[in-house]
Amino acid sequence: MSHLTIDGMLAQARQRLQRVYAYELPQRLARGAILVDIRPQAQRIKEGTIPGALVIERNVLEWRLDPASSARLALATDHDVEWIITCSEGYTSSLAAATLQQLGLRRATDLVGGYQALKAAGLLTVAATAPHFQREVATLAWL
């Protein structure tokens, strides 16, 4: 019996994705995509945060984004939401995005190079200008 290697699994996952480069992210966010940071807390503390990104650690990602899940977030309204998953360097995010597509979230994808690519491109704060984030900030201002 032949076993798939992690490199093979990653290649299969990426074949299904239309991955997003850091320079494309502002346009995607402006049209309604949601950036999801799946890095664990320890990694976010060490590397830094992405202001405006929705933080959902990898171990609960599918439950929070599946519109049919009783543990879903309010933003997980349907299967047409464009989720852009990011991790530190763009490996774990590819596997996570492919899993979301298996759940029917057909527009799920990931960020090539992850947090490190955003940082290198000087785009760490771009998600803070996303429409969904601005709506959340405005809602909180009323409280």
Side-chain angles (χ1 to χ4, degrees):
M1 182 173 161
S2 175
H3 294 281
L4 190 62
T5 65
I6 188 60
D7 290 334
M9 184 179 288
L10 185 61
Q12 281 184 358
R14 287 179 173 169
Q15 285 177 350
R16 291 183 267 170
L17 304 174
Q18 292 183 355
R19 302 181 77 212
V20 176
Y21 288 88
Y23 71 87
E24 298 174 298
L25 189 60
Q27 181 183 28
R28 296 280 187 112
L29 294 172
R31 71 175 193 220
I34 301 172
L35 183 65
V36 180
D37 186 351
I38 62 169
R39 295 175 299 152
Q41 181 179 11
Q43 196 167 30
R44 291 191 315 274
I45 290 169
K46 180 180 176 188
E47 294 177 345
T49 61
I50 304 171
L54 181 61
V55 175
I56 306 174
E57 291 196 14
R58 177 66 190 98
N59 63 324
V60 295
L61 183 68
E62 292 83 359
W63 285 270
R64 299 297 183 257
L65 300 187
D66 180 358
S69 171
S70 62
R72 74 172 176 85
L73 297 176
L75 289 171
T77 56
D78 59 49
H79 288 85
D80 282 335
V81 175
E82 183 178 8
W83 302 107
I84 301 174
I85 311 303
T86 191
C87 61
S88 182
E89 296 179 352
Y91 296 97
T92 304
S93 59
S94 293
L95 298 173
T99 301
L100 292 174
Q101 284 193 353
Q102 288 178 322
L103 287 174
L105 300 169
R106 63 179 185 78
R107 297 178 69 202
T109 190
D110 77 319
L111 184 67
V112 176
Y115 172 88
Q116 300 304 327
L118 278 181
K119 184 177 177 182
L123 293 170
L124 283 177
T125 61
V126 71
T129 64
H132 72 275
F133 183 73
Q134 293 300 314
R135 283 191 303 272
E136 293 296 321
V137 169
T139 299
L140 291 173
W142 284 98
L143 300 178

